[in-house]
């Protein structure tokens, strides 16, 4: 049981690394933008870019767990592994697919990882919106 918990923590660490790298890249991209010069469609495009990038990061993290489940024989095929990983990561939890008894502890850590990464993404998105709002109010004052 301890070894499988360590495996789950390693998978969580991989997800954190993916998210950190992806958020760092997005921050570098956003620094190059001048929010005070963006009009409606520019701001909308920026939000779409950030949302799409965040979703891609989550899909990569979902794929990490899915590949692991497939590799260890916990899921019968890639489609099932990706589906199970997505509904676990997002805490949807339909329950139509479940891990074999020896691997069930990973499901909980998997879901907690998804919650943590989604919370991080929400905070990042909020920071982008806040930065645009603050920039627009500064422009209005001048």
């Amino acid at each position: 049981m301890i070894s499988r918990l360590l495996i789950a923590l390693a998978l969580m660490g991989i997800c954190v690394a993916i998210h950190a790298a992806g958020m760092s890249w997005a921050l570098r991209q956003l620094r190059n933008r001048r929010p005070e010069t963006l009009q409606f469609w520019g701001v909308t495009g920026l939000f779409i870019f950030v949302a799409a990038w965040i979703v891609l990061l989550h899909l990569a993290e979902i794929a990490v767990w899915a590949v692991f489940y497939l590799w260890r024989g916990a899921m019968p095929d890639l489609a099932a592994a990706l589906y199970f990983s997505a509904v676990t990561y997002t805490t949807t939890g339909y329950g139509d697919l479940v891990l074999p008894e020896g691997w069930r502890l990973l499901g909980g850590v998997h879901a907690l990882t998804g919650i943590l990464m989604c919370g991080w993404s929400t905070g990042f998105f909020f920071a982008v919106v806040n930065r645009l709002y603050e920039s627009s109010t500064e422009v209005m004052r001048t």
Side-chain angles (χ1 to χ4, degrees):
M1 181 170 81
I2 297 296
S3 64
R4 294 202 175 165
L5 182 59
L6 292 173
I7 290 168
L9 293 175
L11 290 166
M12 180 205 63
I14 292 168
C15 289
V16 170
I18 290 169
H19 223 74
M23 292 295 174
S24 296
W25 181 85
L27 277 172
R28 284 191 303 275
Q29 300 308 306
L30 293 173
R31 281 191 195 122
N32 296 331
R33 299 221 181 194
R34 291 258 182 233
E36 62 273 3
T37 62
L38 296 176
Q39 299 299 318
F40 174 79
W41 287 113
V43 171
T44 302
L46 178 66
F47 290 156
I48 291 169
F49 165 78
V50 171
W53 182 246
I54 288 171
V55 167
L56 287 173
L57 291 175
H58 289 294
L59 289 174
E61 293 156 19
I62 286 167
V64 165
W65 286 88
V67 167
F68 176 80
Y69 291 138
L70 185 63
W71 174 58
R72 298 302 297 180
M75 285 290 137
D77 55 48
L78 183 59
L82 285 167
Y83 169 76
F84 174 80
S85 183
V87 299
T88 301
Y89 183 94
T90 61
T91 70
T92 304
Y94 290 126
D96 51 345
L97 287 176
V98 294
L99 291 172
E101 190 172 323
W103 291 102
R104 290 188 184 155
L105 180 61
L106 268 73
V109 176
H110 186 168
L112 288 170
T113 300
I115 291 168
L116 181 63
M117 298 300 102
C118 288
W120 186 355
S121 296
T122 301
F124 182 80
F125 204 91
F126 177 80
V128 170
V129 171
N130 191 51
R131 178 176 172 239
L132 287 172
Y133 175 76
E134 287 177 354
S135 294
S136 69
T137 57
E138 286 175 19
V139 167
M140 284 185 224
R141 282 186 216 144
T142 57

